[in-house]
Amino acid sequence: MSKIIALVDGSVYSESVCDHAAWVATRKGSSVEILHVLGRREAGSKNLSGNIGLGARSKLMEELADLDAQKAKLNIQRGRAILEDAEARVRADGVSEVQTRLRHGDLMDELHSAEQDSDLVVIGKRGEAADFAKLHLGSNVERAIRTSKKPVLVTSRAFRPVKTFMIAFEGGASSIKAVEHVAQSKVFAGLACKLIFAGPDTSANRATLAGGKAILAKAGYDVDAQIHDERPDVAIHEAIETLSIDMLLMGAFSHSRIRSLFIGSTTTEMVRSCLVPLLMFR
C-alpha cells in the first residue's frame, strides 16, 4: 500500500493538511503517516550543564535547566496532542490506515527519512510561526519543495472538494513529470483537466502543448489545452480565476520560463499568492 506523509505543526493549516492528505489517500487507496517534528530546542536537547558555574550563578543555571526540561516535557505532550487530533481528523475523513510519528530533530532530515517509502508529502502553506498579517510563507515550505524527492502538495488554508485541476505545462522535465503523474494516478481520474502553456502562440509551443495533451488523452482524460501569451505567473493566476481551478500542478526548478518563478523571491510570491493548493514536482 502506498503512503502519504502529512506534516502537521498545530497551526490552523494542520486541519487542511489532514483533509488534503485524506482526499488523496481515499482516491488512491493509500495509508497516511502524520508527522510532527520537534526542533532540538523544543525537545530540550540544549545542555546547560556546561554553563553552570559557582555560587549564585550555579543556582540560577540549575533553575534554568529545570525550566528547560519542563518546557521540553510540555512540548512533547503538546506534540502528542497535535498528532491525536490530526489522526482523528484523517480517520473522520475516511482513511482507515493511519499512523502517527513524533520525532525530534531537524524537520528536513526527518522528512527525508520518512518520505523514503512514500508517494507524496503534504504540507501547509503557512506554519505556526508564519506572519499571517503579512501573508508570509512558512519557512519550511520552500525548503520542502526544494529538497524533497517526492511530489509536494502545498495546501491552502481550508480544503474544498477538487473538481477541476490544471497543469502548467512548458515541456520541461518537471512539468512532463506532472503530466505523467496524472496519467498514471487514480487521484485525478474523472476530474476536469486543464492544460495551459504560458508563452507566445507559436507552432513550436503548440507542438509542445499537444505532446502533453496526448499523454493525458491516452490515459483517458478529456483535456482542455490552451496557450496563454502572458508571463507564467500572470497566465497561471488568470487561468485559476477564469477556469475555476481547484488545484494547480506544476514543475519546479526546470530549465524554462517557469524556472524563473521558483528561484529567489519570485518563488515565495507565486506560492504565497496562489489561493488553491499546489502540487509541485521536481
Side-chain angles (χ1 to χ4, degrees):
M1 176 181 287
S2 60
K3 184 173 73 176
I4 310 298
I5 300 295
L7 286 171
V8 296
D9 64 354
S11 71
V12 295
Y13 277 80
S14 290
E15 291 184 353
S16 175
V17 168
C18 292
D19 293 342
H20 281 87
W23 178 77
V24 175
T26 54
R27 289 188 66 88
K28 67 181 301 187
S30 301
S31 64
V32 174
E33 180 176 302
I34 306 169
L35 177 64
H36 179 65
V37 180
L38 294 171
R40 293 185 177 85
R41 186 184 183 90
E42 293 174 297
S45 60
K46 185 178 180 180
N47 185 359
L48 297 173
S49 60
N51 297 325
I52 297 177
L54 301 174
R57 180 174 299 181
S58 176
K59 177 63 174 176
L60 174 61
M61 298 311 293
E62 288 178 3
E63 292 177 352
L64 288 173
D66 289 341
L67 180 60
D68 195 53
Q70 292 174 18
K71 286 182 178 178
K73 183 178 180 181
L74 290 174
N75 282 329
I76 292 172
Q77 292 176 348
R78 178 176 178 273
R80 289 173 177 160
I82 289 171
L83 289 173
E84 289 176 2
D85 289 346
E87 180 179 3
R89 181 97 180 187
V90 174
R91 289 190 182 280
D93 286 339
V95 182
S96 57
E97 296 291 331
V98 185
Q99 294 180 320
T100 62
R101 183 186 294 189
L102 179 64
R103 304 292 295 175
H104 300 166
D106 179 78
L107 176 59
M108 292 303 113
D109 290 342
E110 297 301 330
L111 173 59
H112 294 160
S113 175
E115 73 174 13
Q116 297 300 318
D117 58 347
S118 71
D119 292 341
L120 175 72
V121 173
V122 185
I123 186 171
K125 182 182 292 187
R126 295 181 177 88
E128 188 178 35
D131 187 339
F132 280 81
K134 297 180 180 178
L135 297 180
H136 285 172
L137 291 175
S139 60
N140 292 315
V141 175
E142 285 187 85
R143 293 174 66 202
I145 295 172
R146 288 176 179 276
T147 62
S148 176
K149 305 298 184 185
K150 307 294 181 178
V152 177
L153 176 58
V154 182
T155 73
S156 49
R157 184 161 182 169
F159 174 80
R160 70 177 186 186
V162 179
K163 299 177 181 177
T164 303
F165 69 94
M166 181 176 77
I167 305 173
F169 186 73
E170 31 69 284
S174 55
S175 68
I176 291 175
K177 189 177 292 185
V179 167
E180 291 177 340
H181 178 90
V182 170
Q184 297 168 7
S185 174
K186 299 178 181 177
V187 175
F188 299 95
L191 304 181
C193 175
K194 311 290 184 183
L195 189 70
I196 72 161
F197 185 103
D201 188 1
T202 64
S203 58
N205 289 342
R206 285 197 295 274
T208 298
L209 185 64
K213 182 178 180 179
I215 296 173
L216 294 167
K218 187 177 181 180
Y221 287 93
D222 183 11
V223 185
D224 177 10
Q226 303 177 8
I227 290 182
H228 290 229
D229 189 2
E230 300 274 6
R231 291 199 335 261
D233 54 335
V234 174
I236 290 169
H237 283 303
E238 287 181 353
I240 288 173
E241 184 174 346
T242 59
L243 301 176
S244 300
I245 301 301
D246 300 312
M247 182 177 289
L248 171 65
L249 289 74
M250 61 189 307
F253 305 108
S254 61
H255 296 287
S256 67
R257 294 181 69 197
I258 289 181
R259 178 176 185 265
S260 63
L261 291 174
F262 292 89
I263 295 176
S265 60
T266 313
T267 301
T268 302
E269 176 59 25
M270 183 62 196
V271 180
R272 182 194 69 81
S273 59
C274 189
L275 299 180
V276 300
L278 294 92
L279 182 53
M280 314 292 293
F281 297 83
R282 289 195 62 202

